[in-house]
Amino acid sequence: MGAQLRVYKRRIRSVTATKKITKAMEMIAASRVVKAQRKVAASTPYAQELTRAVTAVGTGSNTRHPLTTEAENPSRAAVLLLTSDRGLAGAFNSNAIKAAEQLTTRLEREGKQVDTYIVGRRGVAHYNFRERTISESWTGFTDEPVYGDAKLVAAPLIESIEKDTADGGVDELHIVYTEFVSMMTQTAVDARLLPLRLDEVATESGAKGEILPLYDFEPSGEDVLDALLPRYVESRIYNALLQSAASKHAATRRAMKSATDNAGELINTLSRLANAARQAEITQEISEIVGGASALADATAGSDN
């Protein structure tokens, strides 16, 4: 019985140490998600306004440009998947990877060859384990991305969209990331970055009562689109990186809070079992003492007779 009590006490110490770790990680994630939220709020208006500007240029000119013009028979697409470098975030990474695989399957059904680009060690490990081809990958900055990271990721994608498919280029650019909705809700989404769907942006602006401005292009609409292409892609990727980082921290906070609560419940359960084992041990000792005293009394009485 004493051995069982020692086992319970050892498990309680182990779970208590784990609870301290998960509680600390919960507090760290809570502080980081607030900073990430502020960055998302600061970058979103710029990305939206730049998209509106590109839409205005695309609808106001007849220039054929990879930013706004769809290929007649698209045969190749690039998919950028955003995951995290670290785990302990619940279903955050698995949901993003699942969304990317569904998008890849849909594109392949349409007869398009898919080039996969991945940000984050978790996504890279998933694809490497399954021996799937990765065109290019980036790691090490998913927790706190900066604009320079977005430029680094965007560079090969812009190069691919500007090339002909015969030379290894792509006709479409898609991105899969986790959108930060609230502290409790983060949703894995996929969006087509290029070519930009002008009708969808125009419809969205019309629904909000917005009117796209009129522009005069100097020296030409094509030159303006050439200048806007890298900025548009970089800003959208940067915003998606920030959304993904905020979502990851929120998911980590929620997962660590759940782990802390579970550890507390397990400690309570083990404490009750340890108390029961201690009471049983005490009862057994008392029984042995009473039994021994009774046997001694019987022996003494027998000797007197």
Side-chain angles (χ1 to χ4, degrees), residues 7 24 35 55 62 66-67 69 72 113-114 159 172 212 218 245:
V7 170
K35 298 178 182 178
T55 303
N62 296 323
L67 187 59
T69 305
E72 294 182 0
Q113 180 181 345
V114 178
E159 182 180 353
E172 297 177 358
L212 292 176
E218 293 182 0

Side-chain angles (χ1 to χ4, degrees), residues 170-207:
V170 297
D171 299 310
E172 297 177 358
L173 171 59
H174 299 259
I175 185 170
V176 178
Y177 66 99
T178 305
E179 182 182 17
F180 181 85
V181 180
S182 67
M183 290 293 292
M184 298 302 298
T185 305
Q186 301 86 41
T187 307
V189 298
D190 65 86
R192 194 179 78 175
L193 294 186
L194 295 175
L196 185 64
R197 290 187 171 95
L198 301 180
D199 53 346
E200 292 184 3
V201 179
T203 301
E204 181 180 352
S205 299

Side-chain angles (χ1 to χ4, degrees), residues 10-11 14 44 101:
R10 185 166 60 249
R11 290 187 62 187
S14 176
T44 299
E101 290 177 341

Side-chain angles (χ1 to χ4, degrees), residues 27-298:
M27 296 176 66
I28 292 172
S31 65
R32 288 180 175 176
V33 73
V34 174
K35 298 178 182 178
Q37 278 183 279
R38 292 172 182 169
K39 291 182 179 180
V40 170
S43 69
T44 299
Y46 175 77
Q48 291 176 343
E49 290 301 318
L50 187 56
T51 302
R52 291 179 70 248
V54 172
T55 303
V57 176
T59 56
S61 66
N62 296 323
T63 304
R64 294 185 60 84
H65 194 274
L67 187 59
T68 57
T69 305
E70 296 192 30
E72 294 182 0
N73 296 306
S75 60
R76 196 167 183 175
V79 174
L80 173 62
L81 168 62
L82 304 187
T83 61
S84 67
D85 290 323
R86 304 173 186 269
L88 300 177
F92 169 80
N93 288 302
S94 60
N95 287 340
I97 292 172
K98 182 178 179 181
E101 290 177 341
Q102 291 175 347
L103 173 61
T104 300
T105 301
R106 175 166 58 83
L107 293 174
E108 289 176 345
R109 284 203 195 104
E110 296 173 359
K112 300 171 186 174
Q113 180 181 345
V114 178
D115 297 339
T116 304
Y117 298 79
I118 301 178
V119 174
R121 292 190 181 95
R122 291 295 170 175
V124 173
H126 177 87
Y127 275 69
N128 285 339
F129 180 76
R130 288 158 180 78
E131 298 182 350
R132 298 177 183 173
T133 303
I134 301 175
S135 298
E136 198 161 345
S137 62
W138 303 266
T139 60
F141 54 79
T142 58
D143 281 351
E144 296 182 1
V146 297
Y147 194 81
D149 299 324
K151 293 183 68 175
L152 181 66
V153 174
L157 297 172
I158 295 172
E159 182 180 353
S160 295
I161 202 71
E162 290 178 338
K163 286 182 181 179
D164 293 332
T165 53
D167 299 328
V170 297
D171 299 310
E172 297 177 358
L173 171 59
H174 299 259
I175 185 170
V176 178
Y177 66 99
T178 305
E179 182 182 17
F180 181 85
V181 180
S182 67
M183 290 293 292
M184 298 302 298
T185 305
Q186 301 86 41
T187 307
V189 298
D190 65 86
R192 194 179 78 175
L193 294 186
L194 295 175
L196 185 64
R197 290 187 171 95
L198 301 180
D199 53 346
E200 292 184 3
V201 179
T203 301
E204 181 180 352
S205 299
K208 295 179 180 179
E210 300 175 351
I211 300 176
L212 292 176
L214 298 176
Y215 291 96
D216 290 329
F217 309 122
E218 293 182 0
S220 67
E222 184 176 2
D223 291 332
V224 173
L225 290 174
D226 286 339
L228 287 176
L229 174 60
R231 289 173 175 80
Y232 166 74
V233 176
E234 290 166 5
S235 67
R236 291 295 300 272
I237 291 177
Y238 180 53
N239 183 258
L241 285 171
L242 294 177
Q243 295 262 9
S244 183
S247 299
K248 190 268 177 184
H249 294 317
T252 297
R253 176 183 176 275
R254 190 168 61 252
M256 292 301 100
K257 185 180 186 306
S258 177
T260 302
D261 294 342
N262 291 337
E265 293 177 3
L266 182 56
I267 290 172
N268 292 335
T269 301
L270 291 173
S271 297
R272 286 194 295 269
L273 293 173
N275 291 336
R278 184 169 62 251
Q279 292 295 331
E281 183 178 356
I282 293 172
T283 301
Q284 181 178 356
E285 290 177 354
I286 292 174
S287 299
E288 291 174 353
I289 292 172
V290 171
S294 178
L296 182 60
D298 292 342

